[in-house]
Amino acid sequence: MSKKELKRYKVIRQWIEGYITGKQAAELLSLSLRQVYRLKKRVLEEDENGVIHKNRGRKPAHALSEDIRQKILNLRQSEKYRHCNDVHFSELLAKQEGIRVSPSTVRRIRCQANIPPKRKRRPAKVHRPRDRKPQTGMLVQIDGSFHRWLEDRAEPMALLAAIDDATGKILAAVFRRQEDTEGYFLLIRQMIEQYGIPMSIDSDRHMIFCSPKEKRSIEQELAGESVPLSQFGRALKDLGITHIKAMTPQAKGRIERLFQTLQDRWVVELRLRGIQTLEEANQVLPELIKEHNEKFAVAPLEPESAFVPLEPGQSLDLILCFRDQRIVGPGETISYRGKTYILDVPNSSPTIPAKTPVEVRKTLDGRLFVWYKGKPYPLKEATRNKAAKTPEKKKESSEKKSYKPGPDHPWRKYRPTNSKELKPA
């Protein structure tokens, strides 16, 4: 008998013996008057056994059977579900195996088998959280995570992702061999085509986002010189997006926590789908993003969206591209990376004067354009007639050749005289 049951028995006995009233017994036990009358009836019939719960020692009707428990334990220890946390494992059991149990049940089975958790729980760090933006599209955080997403089946690769601050929704994602400018151009293009142009983008201070010449001297600041932009920064400026460069990882904590969740879940999901290459991983990304958003995304405080569509005449091909400064040469020629190009326009079209500074834009698919006074002019490689090669003259050898006299040379007619023959006999 527990202390609680012993107390109930003593109070009910005092009521039966007339020392206290039923109302006083109800107040002492913090029960209703109706409940203490039930207890009094059971004590009169069964004495002290009347206060003991009837289900004590009995297995609950909804308890897991030993077969199901052992099956869950075997699956948890199998290679298929290794590195799963308790919540994700309970979801996979329902989805893959048809076994519906709560995360607490999974954790209890794991603890009873002395299986350590995937990650040790650490006390939460005390910090002042920043409120979410009220509207979707007001702030988008972007970053990359270089990780073994396919474990030992492929080399490590980078996952580039964009998350909305108001909802925690993944707006776009792409797998790349490494974190590069072209990958972020593809990420922004994917987001704009699906949702529109956001008001601002928050990133770290990687060299992709910041120009190496961004730090200016005092003389340059006093002269009012503008801060040079990276290729990515120029594209955001053309799109009218405010670029925020975070100084610490905590300043963009939402996407940092996103990558912790994705590394915890998507590694297992990609393994279960049998993904072997980067191309296959990009093909299943839409499915993974949809599942993540359905589970973790929240509703914004305000239903209006801050995303805006592209303006008429804007081309993502000519905005999300690589840019270089060049000078137009004679005959509207431009030298670019060791080759000569000319404008691919009709002869009647307006020309660009020689020695004019222009911007050469190279699209992601390799096309070249000259951007002049807000208009693009396509370029084509100049063809030149190759000069006929003159046969090379062989140089005479510097070695002297030996001279051999002819048969009629006087040297061959010369006969040496004998001194004895010249003497008189």
Side-chain angles (χ1 to χ4, degrees):
M1 184 181 295
S2 64
K3 292 182 179 181
K4 180 180 178 181
E5 294 168 344
L6 182 61
K7 179 182 177 181
R8 287 187 174 185
Y9 178 73
K10 290 183 177 179
V11 171
I12 297 300
R13 289 304 307 177
Q14 290 178 354
W15 180 23
I16 293 174
E17 294 173 2
Y19 294 105
I20 57 175
T21 62
K23 186 176 181 180
Q24 291 174 336
E27 292 176 355
L28 290 172
L29 297 177
S30 300
L31 297 174
S32 63
L33 184 61
R34 184 176 181 180
Q35 182 65 15
V36 293
Y37 269 105
R38 291 197 187 97
L39 290 176
K40 179 181 178 182
K41 179 180 179 181
R42 287 166 55 183
V43 169
L44 291 174
E45 294 175 353
E46 306 176 19
D47 198 23
E48 60 184 15
N49 293 331
V51 296
I52 298 176
H53 201 281
K54 302 302 181 183
N55 283 336
R56 177 173 295 179
R58 295 173 55 188
K59 188 175 182 179
H62 62 278
L64 285 178
S65 64
E66 186 61 28
D67 295 340
I68 297 296
R69 181 186 175 281
Q70 189 61 40
K71 184 177 180 180
I72 294 174
L73 181 60
N74 294 337
L75 290 172
R76 180 63 180 81
Q77 294 175 322
S78 65
E79 184 69 15
K80 182 179 180 180
Y81 295 105
R82 61 186 172 93
H83 302 321
C84 282
N85 60 47
D86 297 335
V87 177
H88 191 201
F89 182 54
S90 66
E91 296 173 1
L92 292 176
L93 285 176
K95 182 178 179 180
Q96 302 285 341
E97 310 295 338
I99 303 174
R100 301 186 179 277
V101 292
S102 64
S104 58
T105 301
V106 171
R107 181 178 181 275
R108 184 168 59 252
I109 294 174
R110 177 181 57 77
C111 292
Q112 291 174 354
N114 295 325
I115 300 175
K118 178 180 180 181
R119 186 180 293 110
K120 293 183 179 180
R121 294 187 179 183
R122 298 178 181 177
K125 294 182 179 179
V126 179
H127 66 281
R128 180 175 293 178
R130 177 182 59 81
D131 293 335
R132 292 177 180 266
K133 297 295 183 181
Q135 295 180 354
T136 178
M138 292 187 68
L139 177 63
V140 174
Q141 296 183 8
I142 62 174
D143 202 0
S145 175
F146 193 75
H147 185 67
R148 282 197 171 274
W149 295 99
L150 300 182
E151 300 173 304
D152 297 334
R153 302 187 300 278
E155 294 295 324
M157 54 190 180
L159 173 64
L160 311 184
I163 184 173
D164 180 56
D165 183 77
T167 61
K169 184 179 182 179
I170 298 178
L171 304 175
V174 61
F175 281 111
R176 300 285 295 177
R177 297 294 177 190
Q178 59 185 0
E179 198 173 353
D180 56 355
T181 304
E182 183 177 348
Y184 280 105
F185 281 160
L186 295 174
L187 184 76
I188 298 301
R189 185 186 188 98
Q190 185 183 142
M191 176 184 63
I192 293 176
E193 289 178 346
Q194 293 187 14
Y195 301 97
I197 303 174
M199 291 180 61
S200 59
I201 285 181
D202 192 357
S203 69
D204 55 19
R205 302 187 69 83
H206 194 282
M207 295 303 293
I208 294 174
F209 311 116
C210 300
S211 172
K213 300 179 181 179
E214 188 174 277
K215 190 175 181 180
R216 297 175 297 168
S217 63
I218 297 177
E219 292 78 8
Q220 290 174 324
E221 292 181 358
L222 293 175
E225 295 184 10
S226 60
V227 178
L229 299 175
S230 64
Q231 298 282 356
F232 186 82
R234 297 175 193 174
L236 293 191
K237 183 179 179 181
D238 287 354
L239 290 170
I241 301 174
T242 303
H243 191 189
I244 303 172
K245 302 168 188 176
M247 300 296 294
T248 61
Q250 290 77 12
K252 52 182 184 62
R254 202 169 305 286
I255 195 165
E256 296 290 344
R257 290 190 294 273
L258 170 69
F259 283 130
Q260 290 181 1
T261 303
L262 298 187
Q263 290 178 10
D264 203 23
R265 288 173 165 263
W266 281 11
V267 172
V268 181
E269 295 287 349
L270 292 171
R271 185 202 311 147
L272 293 176
R273 287 170 170 79
I275 304 302
Q276 302 289 336
T277 62
L278 181 144
E279 292 74 16
E280 293 177 355
N282 279 322
Q283 290 179 0
V284 300
L285 261 183
E287 180 184 351
L288 296 176
I289 293 174
K290 181 180 178 182
E291 291 180 357
H292 181 276
N293 291 339
E294 290 176 353
K295 183 170 182 61
F296 294 102
V298 299
L301 295 178
E302 299 179 8
E304 295 82 6
S305 175
F307 284 108
V308 295
L310 280 171
E311 296 180 2
Q314 279 187 321
S315 172
L316 288 179
D317 291 337
L318 295 173
I319 295 176
L320 302 174
C321 61
F322 297 95
R323 313 173 188 208
D324 292 288
Q325 300 297 323
R326 290 293 186 273
I327 302 295
V328 177
E332 296 182 340
T333 60
I334 291 176
S335 178
Y336 184 77
R337 298 194 176 184
K339 296 182 180 180
T340 302
Y341 296 87
I342 59 174
L343 298 180
D344 188 13
V345 294
N347 295 331
S348 59
S349 299
T351 60
I352 302 176
K355 298 183 180 180
T356 302
V358 294
E359 187 179 65
V360 177
R361 298 190 178 187
K362 184 178 181 181
T363 62
L364 298 183
D365 55 4
R367 293 176 295 160
L368 290 177
F369 294 86
V370 166
W371 192 262
Y372 179 66
K373 291 185 178 181
K375 293 183 179 180
Y377 296 89
L379 290 176
K380 65 178 180 180
E381 187 175 353
T383 57
R384 293 183 177 180
N385 295 328
K386 296 182 179 180
K389 293 184 178 180
T390 57
E392 297 181 357
K393 295 183 179 180
K394 296 183 179 181
K395 295 183 179 181
E396 296 182 357
S397 176
S398 59
E399 297 180 358
K400 293 183 179 180
K401 296 181 179 179
S402 59
Y403 175 71
K404 185 178 181 180
D408 55 347
H409 195 275
W411 177 79
R412 294 188 180 276
K413 297 180 181 181
Y414 173 76
R415 295 180 64 184
T417 57
N418 193 345
S419 57
K420 293 182 179 182
E421 293 180 356
L422 294 177
K423 292 179 180 182

